[in-house]
Amino acid sequence: MTAVHSSHLVLGGARSGKSRHAVELAARHGGRVAFLATARALDADMAARIARHQAERPARWTTLE
């Protein structure tokens, strides 16, 4: 069997739904997922958003932050 690999780069403005879209894409994939999260918590609001996003990702995914 031949392995098929794919990558998706999701770009957009602040609060544009990038994370939600990326999580939906990865969830539909159904296979192994490596998720690259690049935001930094520069204030309390961003820290809360990052925590929410972390909680939304399945534990079985590899996440690089």
Side-chain angles (χ1 to χ4, degrees):
M1 177 185 284
T2 302
V4 176
H5 301 278
S6 65
S7 298
H8 297 276
L9 175 63
V10 179
L11 301 172
R15 304 192 101 143
S16 64
K18 294 179 301 291
S19 293
R20 180 179 56 247
H21 180 65
V23 167
E24 289 171 0
L25 278 174
R28 283 196 307 252
H29 179 288
R32 290 179 18 188
V33 173
F35 194 97
L36 176 63
T38 61
R40 290 188 284 160
L42 301 176
D43 59 31
D45 178 57
M46 191 62 179
R49 289 174 55 208
I50 290 170
R52 187 182 76 243
H53 291 190
Q54 289 169 329
E56 291 172 351
R57 293 190 293 266
R60 69 182 181 279
W61 291 1
T62 299
T63 301
L64 306 167
E65 295 182 333

